[in-house]
PDB file of all heavy atoms in Angstrom:
ATOM      1  N   LEU A 160      74.243  38.232 -65.668  1.00 96.00           N
ATOM      2  CA  LEU A 160      74.488  38.916 -64.395  1.00 96.00           C
ATOM      3  C   LEU A 160      74.189  37.991 -63.224  1.00 96.00           C
ATOM      4  O   LEU A 160      73.054  37.551 -63.074  1.00 96.00           O
ATOM      5  CB  LEU A 160      73.571  40.130 -64.285  1.00 96.00           C
ATOM      6  CG  LEU A 160      74.143  41.517 -64.484  1.00 96.00           C
ATOM      7  CD1 LEU A 160      73.099  42.567 -64.155  1.00 96.00           C
ATOM      8  CD2 LEU A 160      75.404  41.734 -63.659  1.00 96.00           C
ATOM      9  N   THR A 189      76.441  44.985 -66.697  1.00 97.00           N
ATOM     10  CA  THR A 189      75.000  45.231 -66.840  1.00 97.00           C
ATOM     11  C   THR A 189      74.759  45.729 -68.265  1.00 97.00           C
ATOM     12  O   THR A 189      74.547  46.916 -68.495  1.00 97.00           O
ATOM     13  CB  THR A 189      74.561  46.290 -65.808  1.00 97.00           C
ATOM     14  OG1 THR A 189      75.320  46.118 -64.616  1.00 97.00           O
ATOM     15  CG2 THR A 189      73.093  46.154 -65.476  1.00 97.00           C
ATOM     16  N   GLU A 191      72.689  44.162 -71.231  1.00 98.00           N
ATOM     17  CA  GLU A 191      71.864  43.081 -71.774  1.00 98.00           C
ATOM     18  C   GLU A 191      71.900  43.005 -73.294  1.00 98.00           C
ATOM     19  O   GLU A 191      71.983  41.921 -73.880  1.00 98.00           O
ATOM     20  CB  GLU A 191      70.412  43.225 -71.295  1.00 98.00           C
ATOM     21  CG  GLU A 191      70.215  42.969 -69.801  1.00 98.00           C
ATOM     22  CD  GLU A 191      70.637  44.126 -68.913  1.00 98.00           C
ATOM     23  OE1 GLU A 191      71.011  45.205 -69.438  1.00 98.00           O
ATOM     24  OE2 GLU A 191      70.605  43.961 -67.681  1.00 98.00           O
ATOM     25  N   PHE A 217      64.313  42.667 -67.443  1.00 98.00           N
ATOM     26  CA  PHE A 217      65.653  43.217 -67.692  1.00 98.00           C
ATOM     27  C   PHE A 217      66.094  42.940 -69.126  1.00 98.00           C
ATOM     28  O   PHE A 217      66.894  43.670 -69.706  1.00 98.00           O
ATOM     29  CB  PHE A 217      66.699  42.620 -66.736  1.00 98.00           C
ATOM     30  CG  PHE A 217      66.347  42.713 -65.276  1.00 98.00           C
ATOM     31  CD1 PHE A 217      66.933  41.874 -64.339  1.00 98.00           C
ATOM     32  CD2 PHE A 217      65.420  43.654 -64.827  1.00 98.00           C
ATOM     33  CE1 PHE A 217      66.606  41.962 -62.992  1.00 98.00           C
ATOM     34  CE2 PHE A 217      65.088  43.737 -63.483  1.00 98.00           C
ATOM     35  CZ  PHE A 217      65.687  42.885 -62.569  1.00 98.00           C
ATOM     36  N   LEU A 220      65.891  45.199 -72.668  1.00 98.00           N
ATOM     37  CA  LEU A 220      66.916  46.057 -73.263  1.00 98.00           C
ATOM     38  C   LEU A 220      67.589  45.389 -74.458  1.00 98.00           C
ATOM     39  O   LEU A 220      68.306  46.040 -75.210  1.00 98.00           O
ATOM     40  CB  LEU A 220      67.993  46.402 -72.221  1.00 98.00           C
ATOM     41  CG  LEU A 220      67.683  47.591 -71.314  1.00 98.00           C
ATOM     42  CD1 LEU A 220      66.606  47.245 -70.307  1.00 98.00           C
ATOM     43  CD2 LEU A 220      68.925  48.061 -70.604  1.00 98.00           C
ATOM     44  N   HIS A 260      58.847  44.299 -62.647  1.00 98.00           N
ATOM     45  CA  HIS A 260      59.611  43.120 -62.216  1.00 98.00           C
ATOM     46  C   HIS A 260      58.768  41.848 -62.262  1.00 98.00           C
ATOM     47  O   HIS A 260      59.097  40.856 -61.611  1.00 98.00           O
ATOM     48  CB  HIS A 260      60.165  43.314 -60.801  1.00 98.00           C
ATOM     49  CG  HIS A 260      61.464  44.075 -60.767  1.00 98.00           C
ATOM     50  ND1 HIS A 260      61.592  45.341 -61.286  1.00 98.00           N
ATOM     51  CD2 HIS A 260      62.696  43.749 -60.297  1.00 98.00           C
ATOM     52  CE1 HIS A 260      62.846  45.755 -61.119  1.00 98.00           C
ATOM     53  NE2 HIS A 260      63.529  44.814 -60.525  1.00 98.00           N
TER      54      HIS A 260
ATOM     55  N   HIS B1076      65.444  48.690 -51.725  1.00 98.00           N
ATOM     56  CA  HIS B1076      66.902  48.840 -51.805  1.00 98.00           C
ATOM     57  C   HIS B1076      67.325  50.005 -50.921  1.00 98.00           C
ATOM     58  O   HIS B1076      67.010  51.156 -51.232  1.00 98.00           O
ATOM     59  CB  HIS B1076      67.331  49.111 -53.244  1.00 98.00           C
ATOM     60  CG  HIS B1076      66.896  48.055 -54.229  1.00 98.00           C
ATOM     61  ND1 HIS B1076      65.597  47.952 -54.665  1.00 98.00           N
ATOM     62  CD2 HIS B1076      67.573  47.071 -54.847  1.00 98.00           C
ATOM     63  CE1 HIS B1076      65.505  46.934 -55.530  1.00 98.00           C
ATOM     64  NE2 HIS B1076      66.685  46.386 -55.654  1.00 98.00           N
ATOM     65  N   HIS B1102      66.352  52.390 -58.686  1.00 98.00           N
ATOM     66  CA  HIS B1102      65.787  51.491 -57.673  1.00 98.00           C
ATOM     67  C   HIS B1102      66.220  51.890 -56.256  1.00 98.00           C
ATOM     68  O   HIS B1102      65.516  51.646 -55.311  1.00 98.00           O
ATOM     69  CB  HIS B1102      66.241  50.052 -57.960  1.00 98.00           C
ATOM     70  CG  HIS B1102      67.735  49.915 -58.051  1.00 98.00           C
ATOM     71  ND1 HIS B1102      68.449  50.348 -59.154  1.00 98.00           N
ATOM     72  CD2 HIS B1102      68.657  49.439 -57.173  1.00 98.00           C
ATOM     73  CE1 HIS B1102      69.740  50.129 -58.952  1.00 98.00           C
ATOM     74  NE2 HIS B1102      69.895  49.581 -57.763  1.00 98.00           N
ATOM     75  N   ARG B1103      67.391  52.499 -56.114  1.00 98.00           N
ATOM     76  CA  ARG B1103      67.893  52.861 -54.777  1.00 98.00           C
ATOM     77  C   ARG B1103      67.699  54.357 -54.573  1.00 98.00           C
ATOM     78  O   ARG B1103      68.651  55.131 -54.590  1.00 98.00           O
ATOM     79  CB  ARG B1103      69.382  52.495 -54.657  1.00 98.00           C
ATOM     80  CG  ARG B1103      69.889  52.404 -53.218  1.00 98.00           C
ATOM     81  CD  ARG B1103      71.358  51.988 -53.131  1.00 98.00           C
ATOM     82  NE  ARG B1103      71.652  50.788 -53.871  1.00 98.00           N
ATOM     83  CZ  ARG B1103      71.285  49.558 -53.504  1.00 98.00           C
ATOM     84  NH1 ARG B1103      70.652  49.371 -52.370  1.00 98.00           N
ATOM     85  NH2 ARG B1103      71.556  48.507 -54.257  1.00 98.00           N
ATOM     86  N   ALA B1151      62.987  51.282 -61.950  1.00 97.00           N
ATOM     87  CA  ALA B1151      63.658  50.087 -61.420  1.00 97.00           C
ATOM     88  C   ALA B1151      64.492  49.313 -62.423  1.00 97.00           C
ATOM     89  O   ALA B1151      65.122  48.335 -62.064  1.00 97.00           O
ATOM     90  CB  ALA B1151      62.601  49.159 -60.832  1.00 97.00           C
ATOM     91  N   ILE B1152      64.493  49.728 -63.670  1.00 98.00           N
ATOM     92  CA  ILE B1152      65.308  49.030 -64.656  1.00 98.00           C
ATOM     93  C   ILE B1152      66.589  49.842 -64.813  1.00 98.00           C
ATOM     94  O   ILE B1152      66.525  51.070 -65.020  1.00 98.00           O
ATOM     95  CB  ILE B1152      64.551  48.914 -66.003  1.00 98.00           C
ATOM     96  CG1 ILE B1152      63.253  48.115 -65.829  1.00 98.00           C
ATOM     97  CG2 ILE B1152      65.434  48.302 -67.088  1.00 98.00           C
ATOM     98  CD1 ILE B1152      63.433  46.673 -65.395  1.00 98.00           C
ATOM     99  N   VAL B1153      67.732  49.176 -64.714  1.00 98.00           N
ATOM    100  CA  VAL B1153      68.995  49.914 -64.720  1.00 98.00           C
ATOM    101  C   VAL B1153      69.115  50.759 -66.000  1.00 98.00           C
ATOM    102  O   VAL B1153      68.942  50.242 -67.103  1.00 98.00           O
ATOM    103  CB  VAL B1153      70.197  48.955 -64.598  1.00 98.00           C
ATOM    104  CG1 VAL B1153      71.511  49.704 -64.765  1.00 98.00           C
ATOM    105  CG2 VAL B1153      70.173  48.233 -63.260  1.00 98.00           C
ATOM    106  N   GLY B1181      73.790  54.418 -60.516  1.00 98.00           N
ATOM    107  CA  GLY B1181      74.928  53.671 -59.963  1.00 98.00           C
ATOM    108  C   GLY B1181      75.955  53.420 -61.050  1.00 98.00           C
ATOM    109  O   GLY B1181      75.683  53.601 -62.241  1.00 98.00           O
ATOM    110  N   GLU B1182      77.121  52.939 -60.648  1.00 98.00           N
ATOM    111  CA  GLU B1182      78.165  52.691 -61.654  1.00 98.00           C
ATOM    112  C   GLU B1182      77.765  51.565 -62.597  1.00 98.00           C
ATOM    113  O   GLU B1182      78.252  51.487 -63.722  1.00 98.00           O
ATOM    114  CB  GLU B1182      79.513  52.421 -60.984  1.00 98.00           C
ATOM    115  CG  GLU B1182      79.792  50.984 -60.538  1.00 98.00           C
ATOM    116  CD  GLU B1182      78.903  50.517 -59.394  1.00 98.00           C
ATOM    117  OE1 GLU B1182      78.315  51.368 -58.711  1.00 98.00           O
ATOM    118  OE2 GLU B1182      78.792  49.292 -59.173  1.00 98.00           O
ATOM    119  N   GLY B1183      76.830  50.700 -62.154  1.00 98.00           N
ATOM    120  CA  GLY B1183      76.357  49.617 -63.019  1.00 98.00           C
ATOM    121  C   GLY B1183      75.722  50.169 -64.290  1.00 98.00           C
ATOM    122  O   GLY B1183      75.861  49.602 -65.377  1.00 98.00           O
ATOM    123  N   CYS B1184      75.053  51.290 -64.133  1.00 98.00           N
ATOM    124  CA  CYS B1184      74.366  51.915 -65.266  1.00 98.00           C
ATOM    125  C   CYS B1184      75.335  52.304 -66.374  1.00 98.00           C
ATOM    126  O   CYS B1184      74.971  52.312 -67.553  1.00 98.00           O
ATOM    127  CB  CYS B1184      73.606  53.129 -64.747  1.00 98.00           C
ATOM    128  SG  CYS B1184      72.904  54.155 -66.023  1.00 98.00           S
ATOM    129  N   GLU B1187      75.563  50.098 -69.443  1.00 98.00           N
ATOM    130  CA  GLU B1187      74.452  49.975 -70.389  1.00 98.00           C
ATOM    131  C   GLU B1187      74.682  50.902 -71.581  1.00 98.00           C
ATOM    132  O   GLU B1187      75.215  52.006 -71.440  1.00 98.00           O
ATOM    133  CB  GLU B1187      73.125  50.373 -69.728  1.00 98.00           C
ATOM    134  CG  GLU B1187      72.696  49.490 -68.566  1.00 98.00           C
ATOM    135  CD  GLU B1187      72.120  48.134 -69.000  1.00 98.00           C
ATOM    136  OE1 GLU B1187      72.203  47.786 -70.205  1.00 98.00           O
ATOM    137  OE2 GLU B1187      71.599  47.427 -68.125  1.00 98.00           O
ATOM    138  N   ASN B1211      79.324  52.520 -55.869  1.00 98.00           N
ATOM    139  CA  ASN B1211      79.421  51.749 -54.616  1.00 98.00           C
ATOM    140  C   ASN B1211      80.047  50.378 -54.853  1.00 98.00           C
ATOM    141  O   ASN B1211      79.872  49.456 -54.062  1.00 98.00           O
ATOM    142  CB  ASN B1211      78.054  51.643 -53.927  1.00 98.00           C
ATOM    143  CG  ASN B1211      77.060  50.843 -54.750  1.00 98.00           C
ATOM    144  OD1 ASN B1211      77.391  50.276 -55.794  1.00 98.00           O
ATOM    145  ND2 ASN B1211      75.825  50.798 -54.291  1.00 98.00           N
ATOM    146  N   TYR B1213      79.574  47.671 -56.361  1.00 98.00           N
ATOM    147  CA  TYR B1213      78.886  46.417 -56.655  1.00 98.00           C
ATOM    148  C   TYR B1213      77.605  46.658 -57.450  1.00 98.00           C
ATOM    149  O   TYR B1213      76.927  47.660 -57.272  1.00 98.00           O
ATOM    150  CB  TYR B1213      78.522  45.670 -55.353  1.00 98.00           C
ATOM    151  CG  TYR B1213      79.759  45.210 -54.627  1.00 98.00           C
ATOM    152  CD1 TYR B1213      80.347  46.007 -53.637  1.00 98.00           C
ATOM    153  CD2 TYR B1213      80.379  44.007 -54.961  1.00 98.00           C
ATOM    154  CE1 TYR B1213      81.516  45.613 -53.004  1.00 98.00           C
ATOM    155  CE2 TYR B1213      81.550  43.605 -54.333  1.00 98.00           C
ATOM    156  CZ  TYR B1213      82.110  44.407 -53.359  1.00 98.00           C
ATOM    157  OH  TYR B1213      83.263  44.008 -52.748  1.00 98.00           O
ATOM    158  N   SER B1214      77.348  45.703 -58.346  1.00 97.00           N
ATOM    159  CA  SER B1214      76.038  45.636 -58.980  1.00 97.00           C
ATOM    160  C   SER B1214      75.445  44.327 -58.485  1.00 97.00           C
ATOM    161  O   SER B1214      75.915  43.255 -58.848  1.00 97.00           O
ATOM    162  CB  SER B1214      76.210  45.611 -60.505  1.00 97.00           C
ATOM    163  OG  SER B1214      75.002  45.260 -61.147  1.00 97.00           O
ATOM    164  N   VAL B1215      74.468  44.436 -57.584  1.00 97.00           N
ATOM    165  CA  VAL B1215      73.964  43.278 -56.848  1.00 97.00           C
ATOM    166  C   VAL B1215      75.166  42.599 -56.152  1.00 97.00           C
ATOM    167  O   VAL B1215      75.771  43.223 -55.289  1.00 97.00           O
ATOM    168  CB  VAL B1215      73.186  42.305 -57.761  1.00 97.00           C
ATOM    169  CG1 VAL B1215      72.431  41.260 -56.904  1.00 97.00           C
ATOM    170  CG2 VAL B1215      72.153  43.069 -58.607  1.00 97.00           C
ATOM    171  N   ARG B1277      77.418  50.735 -50.014  1.00 98.00           N
ATOM    172  CA  ARG B1277      76.153  50.452 -49.310  1.00 98.00           C
ATOM    173  C   ARG B1277      76.442  49.469 -48.198  1.00 98.00           C
ATOM    174  O   ARG B1277      77.176  48.504 -48.395  1.00 98.00           O
ATOM    175  CB  ARG B1277      75.075  49.950 -50.267  1.00 98.00           C
ATOM    176  CG  ARG B1277      75.197  48.524 -50.690  1.00 98.00           C
ATOM    177  CD  ARG B1277      74.040  48.003 -51.513  1.00 98.00           C
ATOM    178  NE  ARG B1277      74.526  47.119 -52.557  1.00 98.00           N
ATOM    179  CZ  ARG B1277      74.967  45.879 -52.349  1.00 98.00           C
ATOM    180  NH1 ARG B1277      74.963  45.369 -51.134  1.00 98.00           N
ATOM    181  NH2 ARG B1277      75.419  45.157 -53.352  1.00 98.00           N
ATOM    182  N   HIS B1281      72.066  44.139 -51.159  1.00 97.00           N
ATOM    183  CA  HIS B1281      71.612  44.852 -52.353  1.00 97.00           C
ATOM    184  C   HIS B1281      70.130  45.197 -52.271  1.00 97.00           C
ATOM    185  O   HIS B1281      69.713  46.322 -52.523  1.00 97.00           O
ATOM    186  CB  HIS B1281      71.878  43.999 -53.600  1.00 97.00           C
ATOM    187  CG  HIS B1281      71.141  44.472 -54.808  1.00 97.00           C
ATOM    188  ND1 HIS B1281      71.449  45.664 -55.435  1.00 97.00           N
ATOM    189  CD2 HIS B1281      70.090  43.941 -55.479  1.00 97.00           C
ATOM    190  CE1 HIS B1281      70.613  45.843 -56.456  1.00 97.00           C
ATOM    191  NE2 HIS B1281      69.777  44.822 -56.499  1.00 97.00           N
TER     192      HIS B1281
HETATM  193  C1  LIG C 982      68.359  46.340 -67.150  1.00 56.29           C
HETATM  194  C2  LIG C 982      68.473  45.735 -65.813  1.00 56.29           C
HETATM  195  N1  LIG C 982      69.341  44.736 -65.619  1.00 56.29           N
HETATM  196  C3  LIG C 982      69.461  44.176 -64.407  1.00 56.29           C
HETATM  197  C4  LIG C 982      68.714  44.616 -63.357  1.00 56.29           C
HETATM  198  C5  LIG C 982      68.861  43.998 -61.995  1.00 56.29           C
HETATM  199  N2  LIG C 982      69.469  44.952 -61.092  1.00 56.29           N
HETATM  200  C6  LIG C 982      68.751  45.663 -60.220  1.00 56.29           C
HETATM  201  S1  LIG C 982      69.675  46.739 -59.366  1.00 56.29           S
HETATM  202  C7  LIG C 982      71.075  46.248 -60.115  1.00 56.29           C
HETATM  203  C8  LIG C 982      72.396  46.813 -59.701  1.00 56.29           C
HETATM  204  C9  LIG C 982      72.844  47.904 -60.505  1.00 56.29           C
HETATM  205  O1  LIG C 982      73.996  48.398 -59.928  1.00 56.29           O
HETATM  206  P1  LIG C 982      74.222  49.949 -59.828  1.00 56.29           P
HETATM  207  O2  LIG C 982      73.640  50.607 -61.019  1.00 56.29           O
HETATM  208  O3  LIG C 982      75.643  50.177 -59.569  1.00 56.29           O
HETATM  209  O4  LIG C 982      73.340  50.407 -58.592  1.00 56.29           O
HETATM  210  P2  LIG C 982      73.390  49.977 -57.056  1.00 56.29           P
HETATM  211  O5  LIG C 982      72.413  48.871 -56.870  1.00 56.29           O
HETATM  212  O6  LIG C 982      74.775  49.603 -56.733  1.00 56.29           O
HETATM  213  O7  LIG C 982      72.933  51.178 -56.303  1.00 56.29           O
HETATM  214  C10 LIG C 982      70.798  45.267 -61.045  1.00 56.29           C
HETATM  215  C11 LIG C 982      71.802  44.626 -61.892  1.00 56.29           C
HETATM  216  C12 LIG C 982      67.811  45.658 -63.608  1.00 56.29           C
HETATM  217  N3  LIG C 982      67.026  46.165 -62.632  1.00 56.29           N
HETATM  218  N4  LIG C 982      67.711  46.204 -64.824  1.00 56.29           N
END
Side-chain angles (χ1 to χ4, degrees):
Chain A
L160 255 187
T189 325
E191 291 78 5
F217 307 159
L220 275 72
H260 276 58
Chain B
H1076 303 75
H1102 55 285
R1103 199 178 308 287
I1152 299 297
V1153 173
E1182 85 293 342
C1184 171
E1187 297 284 9
N1211 65 5
Y1213 294 93
S1214 167
V1215 192
R1277 77 174 142 74
H1281 165 69

